[in-house]
Amino acid sequence: MKNDKALVVFSGGQDSTTCLFWAKERFAEVEAVTFNYNQRHKLEIECAQHIAKDLGIRHHILDMSLLNQLAPNALTRDDIEVKDGEKGELPSTFVPGRNLLFLSFAGVLASQINARHIITGVCETDFSGYPDCRDMFIKSLNVTLNLSMDGQFVIHTPLMWLNKAETWKLADDLDALEYVRKNTLTCYNGIPADGCGECPACHLRQKGLEEYLSEKGEL
């Protein structure tokens, strides 16, 4: 893989930024793609732009505004409250079809830039029940992409079986823990770095960080 080219699906958050560092260590050339679906916080795109520029990564931003029209939810509407799912329901932050569309368009872009490898930060361990984060979905889509474009794409999911503490450890192993902590945007309320400390994304991120630093003996 050292001689291959990779495309990272990149939001500027903790997970995708960790994946960006992971890809940089493994591939000769890395590019990133961010999707603008008129998400709640435009700062997310600005954050992704800043990180890509800082790391010297060629960065593509694709217009996916149609997704905003099709999928009203807490990530696309200011008047919908961010909250966890109740009684088996999905959280209000679930965007139906998002990863299906993102990875499909990433595949088209990858074919244009001659990148065989596609990296995404989806995870089936510390996730919120999103069906499009499951390993089975990724494997299925990988087959579909190759059939649809007669390609040899490989979708990599470095975080698939890691919890948040282990994701922080991976960032640390890549000498990127402090960078990820200070420069990424995970917070559903649009606050960079350690975030608001109140939303579900911040709780998950902070809990994982505390667990990892405790295991490391730094907390």
Side-chain angles (χ1 to χ4, degrees), residues 10 14 51 62 86 118 125 131 135 152-153 156-157 178 209:
F10 186 55
Q14 174 193 356
I51 293 171
L62 300 186
E86 299 176 357
I118 301 170
T125 305
D135 186 58
Q152 294 183 322
F153 298 115
H156 300 267
T157 53
E178 285 303 314
L209 180 60

Side-chain angles (χ1 to χ4, degrees), residues 28-48:
E29 190 175 352
V30 177
E31 297 188 17
V33 59
T34 299
F35 298 97
N36 182 356
Y37 56 101
N38 290 334
Q39 50 265 60
R40 187 168 180 157
H41 302 294
K42 293 298 181 290
L43 186 60
E44 179 179 303
I45 296 173
E46 294 173 12
C47 186

Side-chain angles (χ1 to χ4, degrees), residues 151-167:
Q152 294 183 322
F153 298 115
V154 180
I155 301 179
H156 300 267
T157 53
L159 313 184
M160 181 59 74
W161 307 114
L162 304 184
N163 60 34
K164 269 291 180 284
E166 291 167 333
T167 299

Side-chain angles (χ1 to χ4, degrees), residues 95-155:
V95 184
R98 182 172 60 170
N99 285 337
L100 172 63
L101 290 174
F102 285 4
L103 288 166
S104 296
F105 277 82
V108 176
L109 176 59
S111 70
Q112 297 302 310
I113 64 173
N114 296 314
R116 191 166 74 90
H117 300 271
I118 301 170
I119 294 94
T120 175
V122 298
C123 170
E124 196 174 320
T125 305
D126 270 350
F127 78 140
S128 302
Y130 295 174
D132 59 357
C133 288
R134 294 177 296 184
D135 186 58
M136 183 181 296
F137 161 71
I138 297 296
K139 284 183 167 58
S140 171
L141 185 61
N142 200 153
V143 173
T144 299
L145 283 178
N146 287 333
L147 288 173
S148 69
M149 288 184 274
D150 195 22
Q152 294 183 322
F153 298 115
V154 180
I155 301 179

Side-chain angles (χ1 to χ4, degrees), residues 11-38:
S11 70
Q14 174 193 356
D15 292 346
S16 64
T17 303
T18 301
C19 286
L20 193 61
F21 277 96
W22 181 89
K24 278 170 60 64
E25 190 173 87
R26 284 164 175 77
F27 299 98
E29 190 175 352
V30 177
E31 297 188 17
V33 59
T34 299
F35 298 97
N36 182 356
Y37 56 101
N38 290 334

